[in-house]
Amino acid sequence: MKPCISASIMCADLMNIGSHLKELERCGCEYIHVDIMDGIFVPNYTLGTDLVRRLHQATRIPLDLHLMVEAPEDKLDYFELFPEDVVSIHVESTRHLQKALSKIRQRGAKASAALNPATPICCLDYLYDDLDMVLIMTVNPGFAGQKMIPSTLGKITQVKEWLKQKGKGHIPVEADGNVSFENAVKMERAGADIFVAGTSSIYRQGIPFEDSVKAFREVLRPN
């Protein structure tokens, strides 16, 4: 698949969200990445259920919901989900991962499993029929501005190969964490298909948003 941009709404100017969403649509961003944190699974609080509903009202871009919360299966009903939305839940956050992934699909959205940097990919061994995407954290979740953990590049490659071995090579792998221009190239070479773009790529201070998105795509698809 072609490289896709999932623009992190957490990094946007929420005071000007309307105009920002129009820019995202104009630039053809494939997803809006929505980080939802509960202060328990990760030491931070971010975006909530009402914002998800309002985003659906304000844009046609599918949402890429990243639930960094404990027991996500108990909270899925809080969210409005559309068919093209993707919902990522962490394998570390629930005792009943397959059940939680199935519930996402029952709600009509696409199901994704997210792995923290130190979590081995063997946690996915019996889930390949339940997945529409795999999200690889290249930093420890909770805060923007961290450095990429180099070993996660190898994990991206391992997950991509694992999916091919299971006959699921069409399932995309998403990279999330310090997806800078330099790191995005490394992540793509490792096998990533979707890139969570934030302050180190498309939200660069002093540079027009449209120019940043164009430059980022050129890095991912060099001539």
Side-chain angles (χ1 to χ4, degrees), residues 138-167:
T138 52
V139 302
N140 287 298
F143 295 92
Q146 302 181 63
K147 292 183 178 180
M148 182 190 72
I149 298 171
S151 61
T152 58
L153 294 173
K155 181 184 283 190
I156 292 172
T157 301
Q158 290 172 352
V159 169
K160 199 68 177 179
E161 290 301 315
W162 176 83
L163 288 169
K164 290 178 181 178
Q165 291 170 11
K166 300 297 184 182

Side-chain angles (χ1 to χ4, degrees), residues 8 10-11 35 37 44 46 139-147 176-178 198-200:
S8 174
M10 184 176 74
C11 299
D35 286 312
M37 309 181 195
N44 197 2
T46 59
V139 302
N140 287 298
F143 295 92
Q146 302 181 63
K147 292 183 178 180
D176 184 4
N178 192 211
T199 54
S200 59

Side-chain angles (χ1 to χ4, degrees), residues 12 14 22 25 30 32-33 38 41 44 51 59 73 110 120-121 129 136 185 191 194 208 213 222:
L14 295 180
K22 290 179 181 178
E25 289 185 355
E30 286 82 4
I32 295 174
H33 191 84
D38 63 358
F41 182 70
N44 197 2
L51 178 64
T59 182
E73 64 273 19
K110 298 176 183 179
I121 70 168
D129 285 330
I136 302 298
V185 172
I194 303 174
V213 172

Side-chain angles (χ1 to χ4, degrees), residues 64-173:
D64 175 17
L65 303 179
H66 184 187
L67 303 188
M68 289 169 271
V69 303
E70 288 289 335
E73 64 273 19
D74 296 335
K75 293 151 189 166
L76 287 171
D77 289 336
Y78 297 176
F79 297 94
E80 178 184 66
L81 300 179
F82 286 7
E84 294 304 312
D85 293 340
V86 183
V87 181
S88 294
I89 57 175
H90 276 261
V91 302
E92 310 89 359
S93 68
T94 176
R95 296 179 181 178
H96 305 288
L97 183 58
Q98 193 279 333
K99 180 180 179 181
L101 292 168
S102 295
K103 187 171 182 179
I104 294 170
R105 285 179 164 181
Q106 289 167 9
R107 292 287 315 282
K110 298 176 183 179
S112 168
L115 298 174
N116 280 340
T119 301
I121 70 168
C122 62
C123 294
L124 302 175
D125 274 349
Y126 301 99
L127 296 171
Y128 46 85
D129 285 330
D130 302 294
L131 295 172
D132 299 297
M133 188 179 83
V134 177
L135 186 157
I136 302 298
M137 291 300 304
T138 52
V139 302
N140 287 298
F143 295 92
Q146 302 181 63
K147 292 183 178 180
M148 182 190 72
I149 298 171
S151 61
T152 58
L153 294 173
K155 181 184 283 190
I156 292 172
T157 301
Q158 290 172 352
V159 169
K160 199 68 177 179
E161 290 301 315
W162 176 83
L163 288 169
K164 290 178 181 178
Q165 291 170 11
K166 300 297 184 182
K168 303 289 183 177
H170 62 282
I171 293 177
V173 175

